[in-house]
Amino acid sequence: QAFAVVQRAKAAQQQLAAAAAAAGNAADAPRLDSHFYGALIAACAQGIKLRSSDRKDQLVILDRAFQVLQDAMDAGVHLQTPVWNALLMCAGRCRQLQRCFEVLDLMTGAGVPSDPITFTCLIEAAVLAGECEMAQRVFARAMGAGVTSSVQLYTAAINACMANDGTNFNAAFDIYATMQRNGVEPDDLLYGHLIALAGRCRKLEVAFDLIEDMRASGLKPSTPTCSALMYACLQNNNFAAARKVIKQRAHVWGVGVPAAAVRPQMKMFA
């Protein structure tokens, strides 16, 4: 439907341009602007997301997104960073990592600056493509470029350490240390990733230390974070610690009762 609208918009623009030229006012002819092309590429990104189970349809939509880019370039329209980021999302969701880097090259060649979302999209694309080492290289590139203030960027990089059942504990906590040095405050999602990784790596004491880090920073452990900690306890066969988490949720952290999904797992440890 979006591309049917495009065709009608192009036809209308051509008619108006012809009318302006006939009236001797060619310079006043309307042009399709960056907002128009950006909206189309964003629609492609959403379409690819909705068709996650249909690889063929995803690739068709990706080709259309690149055609939109070509149309914009042919028309001499300067696209801003968010539009390029949307195209990166399109290629990343299709697991087309090489095309992501092609977009980055085109973006750089057009003089468009990268931002935290640019690098986050690239990291997520690398993870989806199964290239977790590449994800870490992208993170290092972001740090080298001075893009150091986005919690989402650090979260994506830590997630890459966990992808495909990964247990790259040292790399994840190096990222956490870098984040702290750069004065970026972690959020609940990032802490949840680190707690889950610590549990997977059989470092339960680290998981509990992270909860204390959260509290020291003014964050209250959330239900998902506490559930990650509880699961870390179970992974380490420490049932006493799991029961402690249940008690502390309500009485110390003020989170509330355990999630319904967790209760059945805990009955055997009562």
Side-chain angles (χ1 to χ4, degrees), residues 96-180:
Q96 299 290 301
L97 187 57
Q98 184 59 43
R99 297 190 81 172
C100 285
F101 284 102
E102 289 174 8
V103 172
L104 184 64
D105 288 342
L106 289 169
M107 183 177 176
T108 303
V112 180
S114 300
D115 67 7
I117 297 175
T118 306
F119 290 106
T120 301
C121 287
L122 286 169
I123 290 172
E124 291 175 346
V127 170
L128 284 173
E131 298 286 346
C132 294
E133 290 185 7
M134 176 59 72
Q136 298 305 326
R137 289 199 289 273
V138 171
F139 175 75
R141 180 172 176 175
M143 295 297 102
V147 181
T148 62
S149 61
S150 167
V151 66
Q152 288 79 18
L153 178 63
Y154 295 97
T155 303
I158 289 171
N159 185 56
C161 298
M162 303 172 61
N164 303 318
D165 295 325
T167 54
N168 200 339
F169 180 88
N170 290 335
F173 278 82
D174 283 346
I175 293 166
Y176 181 48
T178 299
M179 182 180 193
Q180 291 176 312

